[in-house]
Amino acid sequence: VEARLQVIAHACVWLGFGHVSHCRASMCNRYPVAMAEKTHALTALQGTEHKVLTYSPSQDHFGTHAAEELELDPASVLKTLVITHERELAICCVPVDGHLSLKAAAKALGWKRAEMAEPAKAQRATGYVVGGISPLGTKQKLKTLIDASVAALPAINVSAGQRGLSAQLSPRDLAELTGAQFAPISAP
């Protein structure tokens, strides 16, 4: 029973479901820095000015939930979406209070059209689970677009590679770290 509880404890941390009373794991999310050190997104942020924010994760509406939990302006919290055209994949970051224009994203990438990537494909390409996909530290280097509406903001928030974990940094730093370009990709 004790060994089984330890496995469950590690699962609560790695799957982002939060701390549970039986959790004795050394990297329990009651200690956000220990948990945060384990994501590729935060490794990619080393040497860049940023803040790590933690919140209780949800099972849906991940970005909107993060904005509410962290009491942030939804226009400064970005959702990370993976799109596809033929065999290519790309990442699009848009405010959680808006929608992605697939037509505008395709145009910015020089594609004829685009569609949302299947979740399994997105997870394989990025190395992150849906709801925790970050534009930072992805498994495969993907073209990245950031909505132009956030370019002038002092700080934006993106997933830090795990549900319940967010990174706050300047839009310019995010663009530099990901090789992204700013483009008007939000739908009205």
Side-chain angles (χ1 to χ4, degrees):
V1 175
E2 182 74 307
R4 193 168 146 214
L5 289 179
Q6 287 178 344
V7 170
I8 292 169
H10 287 284
C12 84
V13 172
W14 292 112
L15 297 178
F17 294 128
H19 175 73
V20 289
S21 61
H22 63 268
C23 183
R24 290 188 200 81
S26 61
M27 60 184 79
C28 174
N29 69 357
R30 288 189 311 178
Y31 309 102
V33 174
M35 178 179 73
E37 289 173 356
K38 297 298 180 186
T39 71
H40 293 288
L42 292 176
T43 301
L45 282 167
Q46 289 179 351
T48 302
E49 187 176 334
H50 68 281
K51 289 182 186 175
V52 176
L53 308 171
T54 60
Y55 58 94
S56 62
S58 73
Q59 297 301 312
D60 57 1
H61 305 291
F62 305 107
T64 305
H65 175 77
E68 290 170 0
E69 283 280 314
L70 296 169
E71 298 179 357
L72 296 169
D73 178 1
S76 72
V77 179
L78 304 183
K79 54 187 167 187
T80 305
L81 304 171
V82 180
I83 62 172
T84 185
H85 171 64
E86 295 174 357
R87 299 185 73 170
E88 285 188 81
L89 293 173
I91 289 176
C92 295
C93 298
V94 296
V96 297
D97 63 352
H99 298 282
L100 172 65
S101 167
L102 289 168
K103 185 176 181 178
K107 182 178 177 182
L109 291 163
W111 297 352
K112 290 183 182 181
R113 66 180 176 281
E115 58 188 46
M116 295 301 299
E118 294 174 18
K121 234 182 198 181
Q123 289 180 181
R124 276 192 307 273
T126 63
Y128 301 118
V129 296
V130 170
I133 293 178
S134 177
L136 298 157
T138 56
K139 197 174 185 181
Q140 294 176 17
K141 179 73 173 154
L142 302 174
K143 291 180 184 176
T144 304
L145 298 174
I146 302 170
D147 188 57
S149 69
V150 302
L153 295 177
I156 55 173
N157 304 275
V158 295
S159 172
Q162 181 173 312
R163 293 177 186 167
L165 196 61
S166 190
Q168 186 176 77
L169 69 161
S170 80
R172 297 222 184 288
D173 285 343
L174 179 63
E176 186 178 316
L177 290 167
T178 60
Q181 65 182 43
F182 291 98
I185 57 173
S186 284

